[in-house]
């Protein structure tokens, strides 16, 4: 989404034009446990289905509604999914259904679908729901034969409904389904957990307390693992990683060391399904009693329970569910008799289709591996994302004694450049701790390159970055100053402090800075060291990456505000809100914020628009206001057009809508930068910084010759970015050619 220009309106239409849903009927249902974001998926299926000309039906109350039929299966309209995006749970209801597990139940369900000519089914649920759907599809033709024999349908109905196509989307807060990096609802559940942890940390620090937190995850430790990463917990217990014998002493020793290190609180996170290596459950109460008995610390237990399932979905879940919903409809339209049932998954930053039963079988393999105590296999089967989280947690959580560390004798400096972005501090903490584990001396530079040339550089230790993950902004201080004018002084500081590598965390200015340092290598030998940049900017406008640290937090701030604004409109009649977002010349925040908030129109710089477009948008809203939907939302990226300003758009809409609707405008401003970082940004910052330091370590070893570091090739000055499915290191000199600096 970032970096690349958005597709032109015409291109998008052309892409979907070849796909016609005319004469087809699609039904959507939610099944099993609820998860935030399910409604966004339902909405996307309905609107995409209607957009391509298909008939779309809701099936209320999951499989139970399909078996019972009647009013449970209703045709959906464009309007009927309005205002659904921001609602948690599932509006169309979900129920466990024993009857669908029987042959008779499935026969009734098939009859109800054939009566309405529904042969395309979109199922949003966990692996049980998806397995049920696949069985239903396999039995479909025999069910039709049976219905025909019983005289419930005629031969024509059996012929015209002969194939059932199925596509699945996984809605589960546990993220326990193999084949996808994220399931719908997981990110929102993490938001709930992290809100609680942040609140607990303030009270725990006041009283020097230890808190034991139980989070959901009976069979999967994803929520516990990622929330432990995101809050820097002292210890985590998950089913996939049972602690060795003697863990009690190890844990108590670590907790007391942390206290001696002036740390005023301890956080221990336990997944519901946590076990030891003898398959014995590890409960929060057992841990509490242990800590009190061995250490005498004031210890409290908090069990989060169903709070984790509740509340409004995060921006990430709305976007994920919307993208998956669109992909699901495309998969149904493209399916043929021979296509196996598929599930829509997320790999890296890309929606992909995978064979449903392969994913279900892998998910069941995980449980089998756990039952057989093959825990390494279970972690591998969980997938790349889970493995990365686990290895990063292991890297960061355990502080080795100085005698155990390798002695690299390298000095690595870390600095922030550009505007502050939430998640920068998590990245710095991760870089410092991984660097120390690799045996380097870590140096922190205050106030970016301005502080660098003034010599504001000092060593930073393991304990100095404790508690940094949840802090917003930049604790090191950040400035937009570029190094170009101060190269003499910067080279001198590199020499004084013997800096052997640089990690720069920041936005577009950080990218420009790295380019300037790279280009100055010919004149300054001191700059011939490995350099790496991590993109951190809310605008998400750095080349070479789809995602930047900070953008997710910013999107959540935008979406939260839009939700509140839309809510204020529900009390008044017929109102349109014009909202201006940040992002410079990059339309990422406006586009994706518009998608997550359900905007009617988004104006961005990458997609030129003229007065005729504005006119068409106003007419669209005037028509819309004559229906039961009585509010509109228009997002405008701050630099999308120098003449059609927010004021101009506001005045135009006010004038043209006179007598039909009134207008309000809102400029979101700097609140988009602020607040505590989202779980996604904490986790993303932590993982990319760990990866960057490992790259720096390797590059230092490769470029150490004759007793000194010398690195001047282009691949020793890199940007680490998320490109579709993977994190890749790209030389900044190569990215320069694809960058529009203006």
């Amino acid at each position: 989404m970032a970096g690349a220009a958005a597709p032109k309106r015409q291109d998008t239409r052309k892409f979907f034009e070849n796909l016609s849903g005319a004469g087809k009927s699609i039904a959507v249902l939610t099944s099993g446990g609820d998860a935030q974001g399910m409604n966004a998926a339902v909405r996307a299926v309905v609107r995409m289905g209607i957009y391509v000309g298909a008939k779309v039906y809701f099936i209320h109350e999951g499989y139970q509604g399909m078996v019972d039929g009647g009013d449970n299966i209703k045709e959906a309209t464009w309007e009927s999914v309005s205002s659904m995006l921001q609602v948690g749970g599932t509006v169309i209801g979900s129920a466990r259904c024993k009857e669908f597990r029987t042959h008779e139940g499935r026969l009734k369900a098939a009859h109800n679908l054939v009566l309405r000519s529904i042969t395309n089914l979109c199922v949003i649920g966990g692996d049980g729901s998806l397995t049920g759907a696949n069985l239903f599809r396999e039995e479909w033709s025999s069910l039709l034969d049976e219905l025909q024999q019983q005289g419930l349908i005629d031969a024509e109905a059996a012929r015209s409904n002969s194939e059932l196509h199925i596509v699945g989307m996984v809605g589960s807060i546990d993220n326990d389904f193999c084949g996808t990096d994220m399931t719908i609802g997981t990110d929102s559940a993490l938001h709930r957990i992290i809100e609680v942890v942040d609140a607990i940390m303030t009270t725990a620090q006041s009283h020097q307390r230890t808190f034991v937190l139980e989070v959901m995850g009976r069979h999967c430790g994803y929520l516990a693992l990622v929330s432990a990463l995101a809050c820097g917990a002292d210890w985590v217990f998950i089913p996939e990683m049972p602690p060795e014998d003697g863990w009690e002493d190890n844990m108590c020793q670590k907790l007391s060391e942390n206290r001696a290190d002036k740390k005023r609180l301890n956080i221990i996170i336990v997944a519901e399904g946590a076990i030891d290596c003898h398959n014995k459950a590890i409960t929060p109460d057992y841990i509490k009693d242990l800590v009190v008995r061995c250490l005498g610390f004031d210890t409290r237990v908090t069990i989060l329970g169903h709070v984790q399932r509740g509340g409004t979905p995060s921006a990430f879940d709305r976007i994920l569910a919307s993208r998956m919903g669109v992909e699901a409809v495309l998969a149904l339209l493209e399916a043929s008799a021979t296509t196996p049932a598929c599930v829509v998954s997320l790999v890296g930053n890309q929606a992909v289709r995978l064979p449903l039963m392969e994913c279900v079988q892998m998910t069941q393999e995980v449980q089998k591996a756990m039952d057989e105590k093959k825990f390494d296999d279970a972690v591998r089967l969980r997938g790349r994302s889970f493995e990365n989280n686990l290895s990063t947690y292991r890297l960061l959580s355990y502080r080795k004694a100085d005698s155990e560390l390798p002695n690299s004798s390298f000095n690595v400096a870390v600095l922030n450049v550009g505007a502050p972005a939430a998640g920068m501090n998590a990245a710095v903490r991760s870089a410092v701790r991984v660097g120390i584990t690799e045996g380097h001396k870590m140096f922190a530079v205050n106030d970016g390159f301005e502080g660098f040339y003034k010599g504001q550089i000092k060593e930073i230790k393991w304990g100095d970055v404790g508690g940094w993950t949840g802090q917003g902004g930049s604790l090191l201080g950040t400035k937009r100053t570029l190094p170009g004018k101060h190269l003499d002084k910067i080279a001198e500081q590199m020499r004084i402090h013997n800096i052997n590598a640089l990690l720069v965390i920041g936005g577009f200015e950080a990218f420009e800075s790295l380019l300037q340092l790279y280009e100055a290598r010919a004149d300054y030998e001191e700059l011939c060291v490995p350099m790496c940049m991590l993109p951190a900017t809310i605008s998400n406008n750095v080349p070479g990456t789809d995602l930047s640290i900070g953008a997710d937090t910013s999107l959540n701030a935008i979406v939260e505000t839009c939700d509140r604004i839309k809510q204020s409109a529900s009390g008044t009649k017929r109102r349109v809100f014009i909202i201006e977002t940040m992002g410079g010349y990059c339309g990422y925040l406006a586009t994706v914020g518009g998608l997550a908030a359900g905007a009617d129109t988004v104006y961005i710089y990458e997609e030129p628009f003229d007065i005729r477009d504005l006119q068409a948008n106003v007419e669209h809203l005037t028509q819309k206001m004559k229906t039961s939907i009585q509010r509109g939302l228009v997002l405008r990226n701050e630099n999308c057009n120098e003449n059609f300003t927010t004021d101009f758009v506001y005045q135009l809409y006010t004038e043209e809508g006179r007598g039909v609707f009134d207008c309000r405008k809102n400029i979101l401003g700097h609140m988009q930068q602020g607040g505590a970082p989202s779980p996604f940004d904490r986790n993303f910052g932590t993982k990319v910084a760990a990866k960057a330091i490992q790259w720096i370590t390797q590059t230092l070893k490769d470029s150490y010759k004759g007793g000194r570091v010398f690195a001047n090739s282009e691949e020793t000055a890199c940007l680490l970015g998320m490109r579709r499915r993977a994190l890749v290191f790209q030389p900044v000199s190569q990215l320069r050619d694809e960058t529009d600096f203006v």
Side-chain angles (χ1 to χ4, degrees):
M1 286 250 181
K8 293 281 175 283
R9 286 180 170 87
Q10 292 78 9
D11 301 348
T12 323
R13 290 209 183 113
K14 223 177 276 164
F15 173 65
F16 292 135
E17 249 163 33
N18 317 334
L19 287 168
S20 166
K24 294 190 175 179
S25 294
I26 299 171
V28 58
L29 67 98
T30 52
S31 171
D34 64 314
Q36 308 97 317
M38 279 183 164
N39 291 323
V42 170
R43 172 183 179 269
V45 170
V46 170
R47 292 203 166 168
M48 185 64 190
I50 292 172
Y51 183 77
V52 294
K55 253 187 173 180
V56 188
Y57 290 87
F58 290 136
I59 299 179
H60 291 273
E61 309 308 330
Y63 285 122
Q64 191 66 55
M66 191 151 75
V67 172
D68 295 344
D71 280 349
N72 287 307
I73 305 178
K74 276 197 188 122
E75 192 175 343
T77 63
W78 190 274
E79 272 173 59
S80 60
V81 291
S82 178
S83 302
M84 258 170 91
L85 261 178
Q86 63 268 35
V87 183
T90 164
V91 172
I92 58 175
S94 175
R96 311 263 178 211
C97 178
K98 283 192 179 140
E99 215 177 333
F100 190 74
R101 292 180 182 170
T102 68
H103 182 75
E104 275 62 46
R106 292 194 289 277
L107 192 66
K108 281 188 200 169
H111 187 212
N112 287 325
L113 294 188
V114 173
L115 288 177
R116 296 165 180 81
S117 304
I118 297 169
T119 53
N120 294 285
L121 199 54
C122 181
V123 180
I124 307 163
D127 59 342
S129 310
L130 301 184
T131 311
N134 194 60
L135 175 65
F136 189 46
R137 190 187 87 114
E138 285 170 356
E139 291 182 350
W140 184 253
S141 56
S142 65
L143 291 171
L144 293 194
D145 292 344
E146 216 172 312
L147 289 170
Q148 209 178 329
Q149 282 159 17
Q150 293 179 14
L152 291 169
I153 60 170
D154 58 22
E156 174 50 33
R159 193 194 58 75
S160 59
N161 296 295
S162 60
E163 285 172 27
L164 178 68
H165 299 301
I166 275 178
V167 66
M169 285 184 263
V170 190
S172 154
I173 67 165
D174 291 335
N175 201 23
D176 56 357
F177 191 80
C178 292
T180 183
D181 288 352
M182 280 296 244
T183 56
I184 296 167
T186 307
D187 187 68
S188 302
L190 284 171
H191 272 255
R192 297 296 94 76
I193 295 168
I194 293 303
E195 280 161 20
V196 172
V197 174
D198 285 353
I200 278 176
M201 279 178 138
T202 53
T203 170
Q205 277 195 306
S206 312
H207 296 278
Q208 290 208 28
R209 279 192 182 139
T210 297
F211 268 89
V212 185
L213 235 83
E214 184 187 88
V215 302
M216 281 184 163
R218 204 166 309 143
H219 305 293
C220 177
Y222 186 88
L223 286 178
L225 177 60
V226 175
S227 43
L229 254 181
C231 72
D234 297 274
W235 206 270
V236 66
F237 293 97
I238 58 172
E240 293 87 347
M241 188 180 68
E244 301 289 326
D245 283 334
W247 64 266
E248 291 94 340
D249 295 341
N250 289 342
M251 183 183 80
C252 289
Q253 187 190 342
K254 182 175 177 192
L255 295 180
S256 65
E257 277 172 11
N258 279 350
R259 277 295 162 91
D261 227 3
K262 301 196 176 57
K263 192 174 176 193
R264 293 180 59 87
L265 79 158
N266 305 108
I267 299 269
I268 299 165
I269 293 183
V270 193
E272 277 179 299
I275 47 171
D276 65 13
C277 53
H278 306 293
N279 257 12
K280 197 170 132 253
I282 297 175
T283 65
D285 286 329
Y286 177 74
I287 296 168
K288 176 193 165 173
D289 296 341
L290 177 73
V291 174
V292 172
R293 191 175 70 244
C294 297
L295 300 172
F297 288 175
D298 183 0
T299 307
R300 303 292 157 99
V301 169
T302 302
I303 293 174
L304 291 188
H306 278 73
V307 169
Q308 296 159 82
R309 278 193 194 282
T312 51
S314 65
F316 183 95
D317 269 331
R318 298 180 196 197
I319 294 154
L320 173 70
S322 300
R323 284 172 63 185
M324 282 184 168
V326 168
E327 189 66 32
V329 172
L330 297 180
L332 285 172
L333 294 182
E334 290 167 8
S336 68
T338 52
T339 329
C342 76
V343 59
V344 179
S345 300
L346 180 80
V347 179
N349 191 31
Q350 216 180 353
V352 295
R353 300 173 203 171
L354 300 172
L356 174 73
M357 286 322 288
E358 277 180 31
C359 296
V360 169
Q361 273 150 3
M362 259 173 71
T363 305
Q364 289 162 352
E365 288 288 312
V366 175
Q367 198 47 52
K368 214 170 106 192
M370 306 255 289
D371 295 339
E372 293 169 5
K373 297 192 178 180
K374 296 178 179 166
F375 296 106
D376 290 345
D377 290 355
V379 168
R380 199 191 67 252
L381 286 165
R382 281 260 183 253
R384 202 181 53 180
S385 163
F386 192 93
E387 277 188 287
N388 286 347
N389 283 318
L390 191 55
S391 56
T392 309
Y393 178 78
R394 283 178 171 148
L395 261 179
L396 292 170
S397 63
Y398 183 60
R399 180 180 180 177
K400 293 179 178 165
D402 290 348
S403 56
E404 291 175 55
L405 293 173
N407 182 13
S408 77
S409 71
F410 291 127
N411 296 344
V412 180
V414 183
L415 67 159
N416 294 156
V417 176
M424 275 182 164
N425 298 321
V428 172
R429 167 186 176 269
S430 170
V432 167
R433 292 199 168 175
V434 175
I436 290 170
T437 308
E438 303 265 347
H440 310 317
K441 243 188 184 174
M442 299 301 294
F443 286 83
V445 182
N446 293 109
D447 297 338
F449 282 106
E450 193 170 305
F452 206 128
Y453 80 80
K454 290 178 180 168
Q456 296 170 0
I457 304 168
K458 60 176 193 301
E459 193 182 344
I460 186 164
K461 298 272 187 33
W462 185 282
D464 298 337
V465 290
W468 277 34
T469 45
Q471 304 276 335
S474 160
L475 291 168
L476 289 183
T478 177
K479 289 271 194 334
R480 292 180 185 268
T481 313
L482 296 178
K485 292 177 182 160
H486 311 283
L487 289 168
D488 287 344
K489 287 179 178 166
I490 286 171
E492 188 187 342
Q493 291 298 336
M494 297 275 286
R495 197 165 53 247
I496 292 169
H497 295 278
N498 188 25
I499 303 292
N500 306 115
L502 274 185
L503 178 64
V504 184
I505 303 166
F508 199 81
E509 290 89 353
F511 172 67
E512 289 185 278
S513 300
L514 216 57
L515 261 179
Q516 290 182 354
L517 294 178
Y518 167 74
E519 284 161 2
R521 276 176 169 178
D523 303 322
Y524 300 94
E525 209 175 281
E526 294 85 352
L527 301 178
C528 296
V529 297
M531 306 178 196
C532 184
M533 180 211 154
L534 300 181
T537 161
I538 68 166
S539 304
N540 201 16
N541 60 350
V542 177
T545 188
D546 298 346
L547 278 178
S548 303
I549 299 164
D552 183 70
T553 305
S554 187
L555 278 176
N556 278 295
I558 291 170
V559 166
E560 215 172 290
T561 311
C562 289
D563 284 355
R564 287 182 186 176
I565 286 172
K566 278 162 75 175
Q567 205 174 4
S568 80
S570 64
T572 52
K573 286 291 170 233
R574 303 203 164 87
R575 190 165 273 182
V576 172
F577 291 89
I578 320 282
I579 296 175
E580 182 188 298
T581 67
M582 284 170 111
Y585 288 99
C586 176
Y588 179 84
L589 286 180
T591 307
V592 184
L595 180 62
D600 295 275
T601 312
V602 176
Y603 298 117
I604 57 171
Y605 178 76
E606 292 89 339
E607 203 172 39
F609 56 96
D610 56 26
I611 195 73
R612 288 183 295 278
D613 294 315
L614 288 167
Q615 185 63 35
N617 297 148
V618 175
E619 281 165 15
H620 159 75
L621 276 170
T622 313
Q623 289 307 318
K624 175 180 165 176
M625 292 295 172
K626 291 174 183 165
T627 68
S628 61
I629 308 170
Q630 300 190 333
R631 45 154 190 69
L633 191 61
V634 175
L635 263 59
R636 182 188 172 277
N637 157 244
E638 56 184 357
N639 291 347
C640 66
N641 188 303
E642 56 181 331
N643 296 315
F644 297 144
T645 60
T646 303
D647 279 337
F648 177 88
V649 174
Y650 164 68
Q651 284 160 356
L652 176 79
Y653 275 69
T654 305
E655 181 56 41
E656 294 294 318
R658 199 179 291 272
V660 184
F661 57 80
D662 62 350
C663 274
R664 294 283 183 276
K665 69 167 188 234
N666 201 316
I667 294 173
L668 298 184
H670 277 72
M671 60 156 278
Q672 293 161 80
Q673 279 183 352
S678 67
F680 181 89
D681 276 331
R682 297 179 193 201
N683 197 8
F684 187 51
T686 299
K687 282 199 288 197
V688 291
K691 200 173 170 76
I693 291 291
Q694 288 168 321
W695 176 85
I696 282 176
T697 302
Q698 192 52 51
T699 314
L700 279 168
K701 285 176 186 162
D702 296 345
S703 50
Y704 187 71
K705 294 184 185 73
R708 67 190 191 118
V709 173
F710 186 77
N712 69 343
S713 63
E714 59 174 20
E715 55 273 3
T716 56
C718 276
L719 177 147
L720 173 56
M722 163 77 82
R723 276 285 171 100
R724 303 193 85 145
R725 293 190 183 190
L727 283 167
V728 280
F729 291 93
Q730 303 148 93
V732 287
S733 55
Q734 288 173 18
L735 291 173
R736 175 180 51 201
D737 306 332
E738 57 182 79
T739 304
D740 177 353
F741 285 91
V742 179

